[in-house]
Amino acid sequence: MPYLENELKTISRHFQIYGEILHAEPLKIGHINETYTATYDQGGTRVRYIHQKLNRNVFKNPAGVMKNIVRVTGHIRKTLESRNTPDLTRRALVVIPTRDGAAYHENGHKDIWRTFVYVEGVQTHEAVQTPAQALQAGKAFGEFQNLLVDLPGGRLVETIPDFHHTRKRFENFQKAVQTDSHNRAANARPEIDFALKRQAITGVVVDAMSQGKIPERITHNDTKFNNVMLDVVTGEAMCIVDLDTVMPGCALYDFGDMVRTTTSPTLEDELDLSKVTMQMPMFKMLAKGYLAAAGSFLTKREKELIAFSGKLITFEIGLRFLTDYLSGDVYFRTHRPGHNLDRCRTQFKLVESIEKQEVAMQKFVDKL
Ligand code: GN1
Ligand code: MG
């Protein structure tokens, strides 16, 4: 990740920050955007902000992304405020406008930059460590969905159309295998076969949605465990971040991605596949936390597909990593050759682990 201190200094001057930038460092989080933590001197004290460069290759409609984020964070903030919730600016992201009052700064029709208040006293983890953390993650994303049930002002922008359209993701994967533009299909034969065998599951949620059997909701769509900020002292989930894909979706996409990222003790690109496993105690706490917050509005059909959604979304993201590997690593940032294939293998191992436990997982949910 290029660290352009001078560029950041110039960028920072476009935002409504009252102070001098002292220094900044890259925050190595996520596969898509570039994120920096910047320290300012403000009235004699040190204050931190997040500056982030949006990936324009991925987000074709930056204005739409930022419009959504301003609406969503504003609504959450207002609701928490009306409940007299303390610590507001640690619980909902605060967008710092530009000096012209816009939500983002466009750098010479090239890069898109936005700025947030840095949330202090929290940490994120790439892998889950304790069931208590899983409970917090489930609760936080459930509460996030719950807070957005009454968002006024019409439908949000679909920042990435068909983002979780698993069937279309599968079609893209098939095309990538056929084209084999980088002659990599031969290296990924077991993974390709694994995926082909599971085509049948790809239509379950999208079809139920198009038939009106599952409602559209406002969802986060990228509920990775590292997008939940946990208080360093209490361990409480404070703030949900990475709001670029908050848009109309299915509640199950969010729960599914939590299962993918909050039940295995391993990293997303773990090389020792024997360590990759869906841990039931984590799942139980995750489901408990999520349903405590979202159980009141979920329909019967949504609840019936809770365990399935974990398998589906883990499969879908594995498929996306595999597609990107076959296409020459054009979407996800990679840090080593074969990185996307490694990520795919980890996801598919987790799919297998979920398949073995799916009945027991759903049984637990049914009893909640
Ligand atoms: C990307 O930006 P990041 O790392 O949180 C991706 C998600 C994937 C995830 C896999 C916009 O999220 O959909 O699940 O990688 N985000 C986008 O780690 O494609
Ligand atoms: Mg993301």
Side-chain angles (χ1 to χ4, degrees):
M1 193 189 296
Y3 171 42
L4 310 163
E5 191 171 34
N6 278 333
E7 195 191 354
L8 269 180
K9 274 193 179 159
T10 316
I11 297 299
S12 72
R13 292 198 188 106
H14 291 280
F15 291 94
Q16 292 184 27
I17 297 177
Y18 307 97
E20 292 275 302
I21 189 163
L22 299 173
H23 55 87
E25 55 260 355
L27 200 67
K28 291 197 182 68
I29 192 165
H31 308 323
I32 308 286
N33 297 322
E34 272 176 44
T35 311
Y36 301 85
T37 308
T39 306
Y40 288 75
D41 177 288
Q42 199 164 283
T45 190
R46 285 178 180 224
V47 180
R48 294 201 277 181
Y49 292 92
I50 292 286
H51 296 303
Q52 200 173 41
K53 185 163 109 181
L54 200 70
N55 184 326
R56 291 196 84 162
N57 182 33
V58 169
F59 297 105
K60 312 279 188 208
N61 177 5
V65 168
M66 291 312 292
K67 203 170 157 203
N68 282 358
I69 294 181
V70 167
R71 284 180 62 194
V72 162
T73 52
H75 181 66
I76 293 178
R77 185 189 165 85
K78 222 168 111 187
T79 306
L80 295 179
E81 210 162 32
S82 73
R83 294 179 189 166
N84 291 322
T85 311
D87 252 354
L88 275 185
T89 55
R90 295 180 71 228
R91 290 182 195 271
L93 276 186
V94 180
V95 178
I96 303 291
T98 66
R99 293 188 185 178
D100 305 330
Y104 63 91
H105 168 68
E106 189 165 3
N107 190 8
H109 298 291
K110 207 174 105 233
D111 299 329
I112 300 284
W113 286 88
R114 74 286 182 79
T115 298
F116 299 102
V117 166
Y118 184 95
V119 181
E120 297 285 351
V122 291
Q123 57 190 345
T124 58
H125 303 278
E126 291 298 317
V128 67
Q129 296 152 330
T130 64
Q133 288 178 344
L135 180 81
Q136 286 298 320
K139 252 185 167 169
F141 281 118
E143 182 61 9
F144 185 83
Q145 288 181 344
N146 198 13
L147 280 163
L148 294 174
V149 163
D150 62 347
L151 180 80
R155 200 165 180 262
L156 288 173
V157 175
E158 277 185 67
T159 57
I160 303 182
D162 297 326
F163 191 57
H164 281 296
H165 197 299
T166 319
R167 186 180 281 134
K168 288 192 183 167
R169 295 288 189 189
F170 194 85
E171 285 162 10
N172 290 341
F173 152 71
Q174 285 175 310
K175 272 183 222 144
V177 177
Q178 269 158 24
T179 315
D180 196 17
S181 58
H182 286 68
N183 296 314
R184 290 178 175 181
N187 298 338
R189 208 57 247 177
E191 290 73 27
I192 292 170
D193 291 340
F194 182 96
L196 291 174
K197 271 190 212 133
R198 285 160 179 82
Q199 179 171 10
I201 66 170
T202 61
V204 173
V205 170
V206 280
D207 291 348
M209 280 190 87
S210 65
Q211 293 158 6
K213 290 180 183 156
I214 295 181
E216 178 181 284
R217 303 186 185 281
I218 297 173
T219 50
H220 183 283
N221 295 303
D222 189 6
T223 56
K224 279 162 91 162
F225 183 54
N226 70 2
N227 282 331
V228 186
M229 298 189 140
L230 302 169
D231 188 285
V232 286
V233 178
T234 64
E236 184 193 352
M238 297 302 291
C239 192
I240 298 287
V241 297
D242 196 357
L243 307 179
D244 301 326
T245 51
V246 177
M247 59 180 156
C250 171
L252 294 166
Y253 301 155
D254 282 359
F255 189 77
D257 207 32
M258 286 184 237
V259 175
R260 178 179 81 84
T261 59
T262 317
T263 63
S264 178
T266 53
L267 297 176
E268 191 180 52
D269 56 359
E270 174 64 55
L271 289 168
D272 183 352
L273 295 180
S274 72
K275 292 185 185 153
V276 180
T277 170
M278 200 307 294
Q279 304 172 100
M280 195 57 103
M282 299 294 181
F283 175 81
K284 287 184 172 172
M285 293 303 256
L286 189 65
K288 236 176 145 172
Y290 177 65
L291 287 171
S296 59
F297 63 79
L298 291 180
T299 62
K300 187 168 161 273
R301 187 66 189 134
E302 284 170 310
K303 286 183 187 163
E304 284 167 1
L305 288 171
I306 287 271
F308 173 81
S309 75
K311 177 174 75 179
L312 180 72
I313 298 301
T314 308
F315 179 62
E316 181 193 280
I317 311 295
L319 208 54
R320 288 177 61 199
F321 286 140
L322 182 54
T323 305
D324 201 33
Y325 171 72
L326 295 170
S327 314
D329 309 313
V330 288
Y331 187 93
F332 297 104
R333 187 159 48 231
T334 53
H335 304 287
R336 58 178 188 250
H339 204 170
N340 274 317
L341 183 59
D342 294 340
R343 289 169 174 154
C344 161
R345 287 183 172 140
T346 308
Q347 307 315 300
F348 286 178
K349 179 70 203 298
L350 191 57
V351 168
E352 263 176 357
S353 176
I354 298 172
E355 283 172 347
K356 286 187 196 127
Q357 304 179 75
E358 194 177 335
V359 172
M361 288 160 75
Q362 189 58 39
K363 242 189 196 153
F364 175 79
V365 173
D366 293 343
K367 277 195 243 134
L368 281 176

